[in-house]
Amino acid sequence: MEDSRIWDFEQSLWTEGRENYQAKIDDEAVMVLPQPPYVYTSQAAIDAVSDTPRWDSVEFSEQQVMRPQEGLIVIAYRAKASRGDEAYEAHCTTTLRRLAHEEWSVVQHQQTPPLTAGATAEEG
């Protein structure tokens, strides 16, 4: 998949609705999201993101695309999303696997909002 298509695919996961998630999130997906229970798998992962209101817009920066093997794409980026007066920012990773020609699914997604000032590795 070309880089521009990867980013269009990822953007759709932020801005489009439940049907889009059902089609693009793998049944065996695992996600780490900044809300309890934090680690989601399979249908719980699909439900967690499907039930979240969609963002009106999202901008990506610090974009990285890695292709560790044929049929596997790993991306990392910083997202800034908004809807109405609400804003959200996080560093994210997503792993995509090819199911068939031009058919991809998300098998992993993670979001880390900015860490609070003063937090250190020793405190965790």
Side-chain angles (χ1 to χ4, degrees):
M1 184 184 321
E2 297 171 3
D3 285 7
S4 62
R5 290 190 52 227
I6 293 168
W7 297 113
D8 288 346
F9 182 101
E10 189 71 7
Q11 183 177 26
S12 77
L13 296 171
W14 287 80
T15 59
E16 295 181 19
R18 181 180 265 288
E19 280 186 21
N20 188 53
Y21 273 96
Q22 294 290 345
K24 293 181 177 173
I25 306 296
D26 200 270
D27 290 340
E28 296 297 319
V30 62
M31 295 187 181
V32 175
L33 302 172
Q35 64 217 27
Y38 304 106
V39 178
Y40 298 82
T41 60
S42 304
Q43 189 62 44
I46 294 169
D47 291 343
V49 291
S50 295
D51 293 338
T52 302
R54 298 297 84 219
W55 296 100
D56 296 331
S57 66
V58 64
E59 295 179 13
F60 299 141
S61 62
E62 302 176 36
Q63 295 162 280
Q64 300 292 318
V65 177
M66 308 302 287
R67 294 174 173 85
Q69 70 181 50
E70 183 69 27
L72 191 63
I73 297 172
V74 181
I75 61 173
Y77 59 95
R78 181 179 184 176
K80 290 186 178 182
S82 64
R83 64 176 159 241
D85 293 335
E86 184 180 1
Y88 177 74
E89 182 176 336
H91 284 88
C92 306
T93 62
T94 301
T95 304
L96 307 170
R97 74 172 172 153
R98 184 172 49 217
L99 303 174
H101 183 69
E102 301 300 323
E103 183 182 355
W104 294 81
S105 70
V106 173
V107 293
Q108 176 276 329
H109 179 73
Q110 165 273 328
Q111 296 179 15
T112 303
L115 302 175
T116 58
T120 65
E122 292 83 33
E123 293 176 335

